[in-house]
Amino acid sequence: MKKEICMARDKITIVGAGNVGATTAYIAATKQLGDIVLLDIVKGLAEGKALDMAEAGPVQLSDSNIVGTTDWEKTADSNIVIITSGVPRKPGMSRDDLLAKNVQIVKDVSEKVTRYSPDSIIIVVCNPLDAMVYTAAKVTGFSKKKVMGMAGALDSARFSYFLARELSVSVEDIKCVLMGGHGDDMVPLPRFTFVSGVPITELLDEEKIAELIERTRKGGTEVVNLLGYSAYYAPAAGTVKMAETILKDKKTVMSCCAYCDSEYGAGGYFVGVPAILGKNGVEKIIELDLNEYEKTQFEKSLAHVKQLTSQVDKLL
Ligand SMILES: NC(=O)c1ccc[n+]([C@@H]2O[C@H](COP(=O)([O-])OP(=O)(O)OC[C@H]3O[C@@H](n4cnc5c(N)ncnc54)[C@H](O)[C@@H]3O)[C@@H](O)[C@H]2O)c1
């Protein structure tokens, strides 16, 4: 019997079958999150990778259907669209250097999403992240709760990994919060970072915490410098975590790039904050009681996000 995409399952479209997109598809498939459409503009790329992943299904015991395509028709009525189509950085580049190119790609893709999956929730992954989330929200005109970006999940994972290694504890024991834009001025919050309920400020001295924060801030650059291109396993894992939280309506609190109006005094910008994610998208922003130092750091990062957002407005 021929197996077509089963609409009883959730449908996840992943735009961009490059490193992040394909890895996201593979992790989502192994978790059987739903049926997956992997789309790229390069003919054969998404088709080939999807077929290869589908052929791993019997080994991984996954019944997720994976289809690779260049045809947007096949993405119709997706529950979630993950946008990874964008130029990644190379050594010596900042995420901001990607803005002019990626804004046009995200604009084009967002127009297609509006047409083919008007009821979907969008997770943007392309950089510069916060500005690309703004682009998708502006072009689609979707409810701002339904457009968000993946960065906090990755940055939190990096910080958690470094802390777990330093303290010789399980990565499962670490709970941390990061805020601000996805760049070197992101704001890890040691006061809100715990190891099984114990604040890390009681377990590590200030100098060590500052060192791990700095490594987290530069985490993307560290990988770019080693590989010669951008990270993708951890970014894909973070993206799948967001998609899973939404599709399973888990109401998980996680850092993500979300629309903040009065929250944190942001005044109508997409920026990294802790939020509850569920079937409606960003269901609630969690407002932490930041001290003066933390507020200053967040405001500095937000100012950078505002400046990138204004560049997007000029390019759209
Ligand atoms: N948010 C994060 O934390 C994070 C982490 C890593 C990478 N990124 C970003 O994710 C993006 C993708 O990174 P990558 O390493 O997968 O890059 P990649 O070059 O491996 O893949 C990008 C893919 O997008 C495709 N593409 C380009 N334009 C398209 C279009 N209009 N429609 C469909 N597909 C299109 C390309 O053909 C390519 O296959 C980059 O912008 C990168 O900076 C973000």
Side-chain angles (χ1 to χ4, degrees):
M1 195 170 61
K2 206 173 165 203
K3 227 174 163 190
E4 294 292 346
I5 285 196
C6 167
M7 295 312 294
R9 297 198 193 122
D10 285 314
K11 184 169 175 181
I12 305 161
T13 284
I14 300 169
V15 187
N19 283 339
V20 178
T23 313
T24 301
Y26 190 64
I27 300 174
T30 54
K31 285 177 164 268
Q32 303 200 70
L33 271 198
D35 287 333
I36 296 162
V37 179
L38 184 61
L39 180 140
D40 204 283
I41 39 165
V42 177
K43 206 165 167 25
L45 183 70
E47 291 92 325
K49 289 193 180 183
L51 178 61
D52 190 15
M53 286 180 218
E55 289 168 354
V59 185
Q60 301 285 61
L61 301 181
S62 167
D63 282 312
S64 281
N65 290 303
I66 314 177
V67 172
T69 189
T70 52
D71 178 5
W72 274 91
E73 291 270 357
K74 292 199 177 147
T75 71
D77 301 322
S78 294
N79 301 87
I80 287 200
V81 178
I82 297 169
I83 305 180
T84 76
S85 49
V87 185
R89 61 190 173 135
K90 297 209 166 69
M93 290 174 87
S94 81
R95 294 178 181 92
D96 299 358
D97 296 333
L98 309 170
L99 189 137
K101 261 200 172 158
N102 285 349
V103 79
Q104 296 310 333
I105 296 174
V106 174
K107 174 175 183 270
D108 173 56
V109 166
S110 300
E111 285 165 356
K112 305 274 186 11
V113 179
T114 314
R115 182 166 161 204
Y116 289 98
S117 295
D119 298 322
S120 60
I121 288 176
I122 300 179
I123 302 173
V124 180
V125 185
C126 314
N127 279 318
L129 195 268
D130 309 87
M132 293 305 105
V133 179
Y134 171 73
T135 305
K138 188 167 178 182
V139 173
T140 58
F142 285 9
S143 153
K144 293 185 175 67
K145 289 180 183 308
K146 293 175 73 182
V147 185
M148 68 201 81
M150 193 296 298
L154 168 65
D155 298 329
S156 304
R158 284 183 174 145
F159 193 34
S160 297
Y161 170 70
F162 299 145
L163 286 165
R165 290 289 81 85
E166 183 60 37
L167 293 163
S168 294
V169 297
S170 165
V171 288
E172 288 175 26
D173 293 335
I174 316 272
K175 291 279 170 283
C176 67
V177 183
L178 280 98
M179 291 180 56
H182 182 49
D184 293 353
D185 52 13
M186 69 177 82
V187 189
L189 296 170
R191 268 196 331 127
F192 296 97
T193 302
F194 299 91
V195 181
S196 288
V198 182
I200 58 159
T201 44
E202 289 181 21
L203 300 170
L204 294 169
D205 61 35
E206 261 181 50
E207 205 179 314
K208 182 48 82 179
I209 292 172
E211 186 191 304
L212 299 182
I213 285 178
E214 193 53 19
R215 190 167 177 205
T216 303
R217 286 196 170 123
K218 303 272 168 62
T221 306
E222 186 177 356
V223 176
V224 172
N225 287 342
L226 287 165
L227 285 178
Y229 48 89
S230 183
Y232 53 99
Y233 291 112
T239 306
V240 173
K241 187 173 177 196
M242 288 179 74
E244 182 174 24
T245 301
I246 292 164
L247 291 170
K248 294 187 178 166
D249 194 25
K250 282 168 74 95
K251 318 283 188 202
T252 305
V253 177
M254 57 195 296
S255 299
C256 70
C257 175
Y259 182 76
C260 294
D261 196 353
S262 59
E263 296 93 347
Y264 293 104
Y269 284 87
F270 286 89
V271 64
V273 285
I276 298 175
L277 302 188
K279 68 178 184 324
N280 302 309
V282 177
E283 301 198 344
K284 189 178 179 1
I285 309 282
I286 306 292
E287 285 208 75
L288 301 171
D289 189 12
L290 301 182
N291 63 26
E292 282 313 309
Y293 176 74
E294 292 157 349
K295 268 187 208 159
T296 312
Q297 297 258 301
F298 178 74
E299 278 156 16
K300 189 173 150 225
S301 185
L302 179 64
H304 186 187
V305 169
K306 287 182 179 175
Q307 182 238 324
L308 290 174
T309 305
S310 72
Q311 282 184 47
V312 171
D313 279 330
K314 287 182 199 136
L315 291 164
L316 280 181

